[in-house]
Amino acid sequence: LAKLFSAEQILDLCCNQESGLAPADCTLALRRMATCPDHGLMRADPRFAKFLAISRDSLEAHATTQDVVECLGALSELKLRSALLLEVLAKCALRHLGHFTADELVLTVCGFAALEHADLALFDGLARDLSMHASSLSAVEALRVAAALSKVQLRQFDLLDKLSVAVAGGLREVG
């Protein structure tokens, strides 16, 4: 994948894999497509729908917390709000609640918000997990999460209270 320089070539390779793709391969393909000059054209290519279906199946069966984070980042780079992938990533994130690191939780909340996927059950679960890690977040991370929640117009008051403590603590360290 790293040696391919067009979305068309990447789609050819991904759609012709007999053994399927691992979640990391799907993410790499998305990231590579984002850098290709023809990435806008790929959305009209019928193979792109097949690639998305292959990616969905791979993520659903094998995605780890890191795969969720990485795929959200790749979708953001490509500026692709694929309902197909966002729904499966949300299911994977819900399945892995309790297993995300604090950094992964921040990136996951910010990733879903950047792609404007405001799934209330998902954000409730992520907020519960983040609340347990709020004291370990830096002021910058806390502000990123607060901005992400604002972007999707969700008010997770318990989490926002804990984030404000993290921000205040960061300001005391600076002052």
Side-chain angles (χ1 to χ4, degrees):
L1 280 172
K3 296 177 183 177
L4 301 177
F5 297 100
S6 78
E8 186 175 340
Q9 291 173 328
I10 294 167
L11 287 173
D12 272 342
L13 177 68
C14 292
C15 291
N16 292 320
Q17 289 291 327
E18 296 295 325
S19 60
L21 296 173
D25 296 328
C26 300
T27 297
L28 178 59
L30 289 166
R31 287 189 192 280
R32 290 291 303 135
M33 283 189 256
T35 65
C36 294
D38 63 340
H39 78 270
L41 300 173
M42 72 181 184
R43 294 174 194 231
D45 189 321
R47 293 171 300 171
F48 188 60
K50 181 179 178 184
F51 167 72
L52 292 177
I54 290 167
S55 297
R56 177 203 59 217
D57 294 345
S58 176
L59 290 163
E60 195 164 41
H62 307 290
T64 63
T65 56
Q66 186 63 34
D67 292 325
V68 171
V69 170
E70 293 293 327
C71 193
L72 285 169
L75 290 172
S76 289
E77 287 175 32
L78 196 53
K79 295 178 178 76
L80 179 66
R81 292 191 310 222
S82 164
L84 184 72
L85 291 185
L86 288 170
E87 287 173 12
V88 77
L89 287 169
K91 285 180 191 174
C92 292
L94 286 167
R95 184 174 65 229
H96 290 302
L97 287 176
H99 301 286
F100 283 97
T101 66
D103 290 341
E104 288 173 334
L105 284 166
V106 170
L107 293 170
T108 301
V109 166
C110 293
F112 279 112
L115 295 163
E116 299 176 3
H117 188 73
D119 178 321
L120 188 56
L122 170 67
F123 277 95
D124 281 347
L126 292 170
R128 266 192 311 278
D129 277 12
L130 255 173
S131 289
M132 292 185 283
H133 295 282
S135 63
S136 68
L137 298 180
S138 70
V140 171
E141 290 171 321
L143 288 171
R144 286 183 66 207
V145 170
L149 293 173
S150 176
K151 180 176 177 123
V152 291
Q153 300 179 356
L154 294 176
R155 308 292 182 258
Q156 304 288 341
F157 294 116
D158 291 339
L159 176 59
L160 289 170
D161 287 345
K162 291 178 181 181
L163 293 175
S164 67
V165 171
V167 172
L171 292 175
R172 266 188 241 112
E173 290 174 16
V174 172

